[in-house]
Amino acid sequence: MDNTQFIKGSLTAIVLKLLEDNGRMYGYEMTKAVKEMSGDKVNITEAALYPALHKLVEEDLLETTTEQVAGRMRKYYSLTKKGKKESVIQINSMLEALSSVQLLLNKKLSNG
Amino acid sequence: MDNTQFIKGSLTAIVLKLLEDNGRMYGYEMTKAVKEMSGDKVNITEAALYPALHKLVEEDLLETTTEQVAGRMRKYYSLTKKGKKESVIQINSMLEALSSVQLLLNKKLSNG
DNA sequence: GCCTATACCTAATTTTATTAGGTATAGGCA
DNA sequence: TGCCTATACCTAATAAAATTAGGTATAGGC
């Protein structure tokens, strides 16, 4: 029984938003940031995140640079030119979808 | 390329909401109702809906009654006692999750 | 010497939706 | 009569996405 919520399909949009706002971030940092910023309500697991990041790199939306920090490896992700365009589209698209479902779940669903 | 949006994981909550508001409905009716009420923005496909309905019956959240209407069969679904309790929980839970993701995608995601 | 935090990752499984159909009745229209 | 659309149910095979359950390795606190 896990009480943290996650909307399936929103992971990619969240990653794109993070990178849009912060320029570059590494995976582990993303999980901590989202956890903290959502007040523990949204939890991105590393097992879901890393495959998603790799897919975005494959699609040429993200690019990486690797650095050695305090003896540990860090793989920074940032948006490509293509990724910058796509992020706007995907974030807006996801926000629209969220609003639509929200409306359905809030209003009286009487069927005319 | 399909432009209708669907939030993965929200199907069950939408079904529960429909039945909470309307008492009873049949599958085909649900797909039309959601399509119309969302202004074509949310599209529930029958292929996703029927398995989901069957699962909810299996979990004892829904029960069915079958009627013959104009030569065609109609299988009406309604909430069981357990389903009425669960629907409140699941709808609120989904709304909370939607809000959380919405907040993340809207606010400046600066990482402290 | 052990535990926690940092930091990357994958394999197997499960859940959920998509794609692509099938069956059958009724009614409109050519 | 034959065809098309709407109504109304459904499934099988596949794909997409997340969960479960780990593994590797460094650094620092106790």
Side-chain angles (χ1 to χ4, degrees):
Chain A
M1 310 304 181
D2 190 356
N3 57 343
T4 57
Q5 294 286 338
F6 196 71
I7 304 292
K8 297 193 182 200
S10 63
L11 176 55
T12 295
I14 290 172
V15 166
L16 294 175
K17 174 69 173 163
L18 281 165
L19 295 176
E20 213 178 60
D21 287 349
N22 296 298
R24 65 175 209 164
M25 287 181 88
Y26 54 99
Y28 187 72
E29 187 185 15
M30 294 181 194
T31 66
K32 299 299 165 192
V34 168
K35 195 184 174 78
E36 195 206 318
M37 292 156 72
S38 69
D40 268 33
K41 279 176 188 163
V42 179
N43 200 36
I44 290 181
T45 63
E46 293 180 56
L49 178 62
Y50 288 113
L53 287 172
H54 300 159
K55 198 189 166 206
L56 288 169
V57 170
E58 220 175 83
E59 292 168 353
D60 193 33
L61 299 185
L62 303 187
E63 59 195 353
T64 61
T65 53
T66 304
E67 279 179 33
Q68 199 79 12
V69 179
R72 279 186 293 270
M73 191 177 71
R74 274 190 196 168
K75 198 166 170 183
Y76 282 99
Y77 292 85
S78 55
L79 294 170
T80 60
K81 189 170 287 187
K82 187 179 168 192
K84 282 175 193 171
K85 282 184 204 164
E86 262 301 307
S87 70
V88 177
I89 296 166
Q90 288 201 31
I91 291 164
N92 285 333
S93 173
M94 180 56 62
L95 280 170
E96 257 190 60
L98 290 169
S99 297
S100 296
V101 175
Q102 213 169 33
L103 270 174
L104 283 178
L105 293 181
N106 272 319
K107 76 171 158 191
K108 175 88 177 166
L109 295 187
S110 50
N111 89 84
Chain B
M1 309 303 179
D2 191 356
N3 58 342
T4 57
Q5 293 287 337
F6 197 71
I7 303 294
K8 295 193 182 199
S10 64
L11 176 56
T12 295
I14 290 172
V15 166
L16 294 174
K17 174 67 172 164
L18 281 166
L19 294 176
E20 214 179 61
D21 288 348
N22 295 300
R24 66 175 208 163
M25 288 180 87
Y26 53 99
Y28 187 73
E29 187 184 16
M30 295 181 194
T31 65
K32 299 300 165 193
V34 168
K35 195 183 174 78
E36 194 204 318
M37 291 156 72
S38 69
D40 268 33
K41 279 177 188 165
V42 180
N43 200 36
I44 290 181
T45 62
E46 293 180 57
L49 177 62
Y50 288 112
L53 287 171
H54 300 159
K55 198 188 166 204
L56 288 169
V57 170
E58 222 175 82
E59 291 168 354
D60 194 33
L61 300 185
L62 302 188
E63 60 195 354
T64 61
T65 53
T66 304
E67 281 179 32
Q68 201 79 14
V69 179
R72 280 185 291 270
M73 191 178 69
R74 273 189 196 170
K75 200 166 170 184
Y76 280 98
Y77 291 85
S78 55
L79 295 170
T80 61
K81 191 171 286 188
K82 188 179 170 193
K84 281 175 193 170
K85 283 185 204 165
E86 263 299 308
S87 70
V88 177
I89 296 166
Q90 287 201 31
I91 291 165
N92 285 333
S93 174
M94 180 57 62
L95 279 169
E96 258 191 59
L98 290 169
S99 296
S100 296
V101 175
Q102 213 169 33
L103 269 173
L104 284 177
L105 293 183
N106 271 320
K107 77 170 155 190
K108 175 89 178 166
L109 294 187
S110 50
N111 87 87

